[in-house]
Amino acid sequence: DQLRGRIQALQGGPTRLSVPTLPLFEGLVQLRTGGVYGVDSSSLGMGLAAGASRAGEWVGFAGWDDFGVEAAHQWGIDLSRTVLVPAPGEHWLEVTAALVDVLKVVVLRPPGQVDAKSASILDARLRARSAVLVVQGDWPRCEVRLSAEQTTWRGLGHGRGRLSEREVALVARGGGRVEARAEVVL
C-alpha cells in the first residue's frame, strides 16, 4: 500500500488514503478516499460513517428525511460534526458535490436511478477532495457493496421482553476480490 501510494504520488494522481472504519467491518471493507461504497440499509450507512466520525472527521448525510439522531448517536457518530441535508430534492447532485468538498465521508440516498454522467461527476470530485461516498441504493460503479443477507434478533422471548441485539450476516462484494462474509452483532 505504501509503495502504491508513492507511485501514485510520483505519477501525479491523488493518493488513496485509508479512512477509519469500525472494527466490526474489519476484513469486509476498508474505506479509501476517492471511493464509492454501496450499502443496502441505513444501519450499514451509519456504521460506515461512524468510524470516521469517531476519529474526529466531519461526516454528512444527504437524502435522509428519516435520519435517526438517536441511532446515529448509538453508532458513535459525533452529532456536533455531522451535516444533514434531509431532502435535497432535484438538487441532490449539487448538494452531494458541495458536501464532498468539505466532509470526509458523505452518506447519500439518491432520489432515484443515478446515470453514469452524474456518477462520473461525483467520482472526479471524490478523488480531487479525498473524500468517501457511501450510497444507500443503486450506483453505477461501487468499489465494494456491503449487504446484510440474514438478520436474527435476540432478547424477545415468547412475545415479551426487549430486543437486546441484532446479529447480521454481512457480505462484501466487489473491489476485484473474493466475496467476504462475516457474522456481526449490531
Side-chain angles (χ1 to χ4, degrees):
D1 282 344
Q2 289 176 347
L3 181 57
R4 244 187 247 125
R6 288 181 189 163
I7 291 170
Q8 284 181 333
L10 291 172
Q11 293 175 337
T15 303
R16 305 235 15 234
L17 303 173
S18 293
V19 174
T21 54
L22 297 177
L24 69 98
F25 295 115
E26 197 170 299
L28 287 172
V29 63
Q30 175 57 61
L31 301 182
R32 295 207 177 272
T33 57
V36 178
Y37 300 85
V39 295
D40 68 352
S41 71
S42 300
S43 294
L44 293 177
M46 281 190 185
L48 287 181
S53 181
R54 286 182 179 186
E57 299 288 352
W58 280 76
V59 298
F61 295 84
W64 286 55
D65 55 354
D66 61 348
F67 183 79
V69 174
E70 182 63 30
H73 178 70
Q74 288 178 0
W75 272 105
I77 294 173
D78 184 347
L79 298 172
S80 68
R81 287 190 317 271
T82 301
V83 176
L84 174 64
V85 182
E90 64 187 43
H91 302 290
W92 71 270
L93 182 61
E94 294 86 356
V95 167
T96 306
L99 292 174
V100 163
D101 281 349
V102 295
L103 307 175
K104 183 59 76 179
V105 177
V106 176
V107 185
L108 169 68
R109 277 191 196 151
Q113 191 68 22
V114 177
D115 60 89
K117 181 181 177 185
S118 298
S120 293
I121 290 169
L122 282 176
D123 286 345
R125 196 74 155 257
L126 290 166
R127 288 188 302 273
R129 301 295 188 191
S130 294
V132 172
L133 181 64
V134 177
V135 178
Q136 183 182 345
D138 292 328
W139 194 261
R141 292 175 300 275
C142 284
E143 295 202 20
V144 175
R145 190 169 301 279
L146 191 62
S147 58
E149 287 201 340
Q150 184 178 359
T151 300
T152 304
W153 289 93
R154 292 207 167 70
L156 194 62
H158 302 351
R160 302 182 71 130
R162 288 193 158 168
L163 296 174
S164 59
E165 66 182 29
R166 178 176 153 201
E167 187 175 307
V168 179
L170 295 179
V171 179
R173 294 180 177 95
R177 63 186 181 112
V178 177
E179 183 177 280
R181 295 177 173 275
E183 299 280 332
V184 299
V185 175
L186 304 179

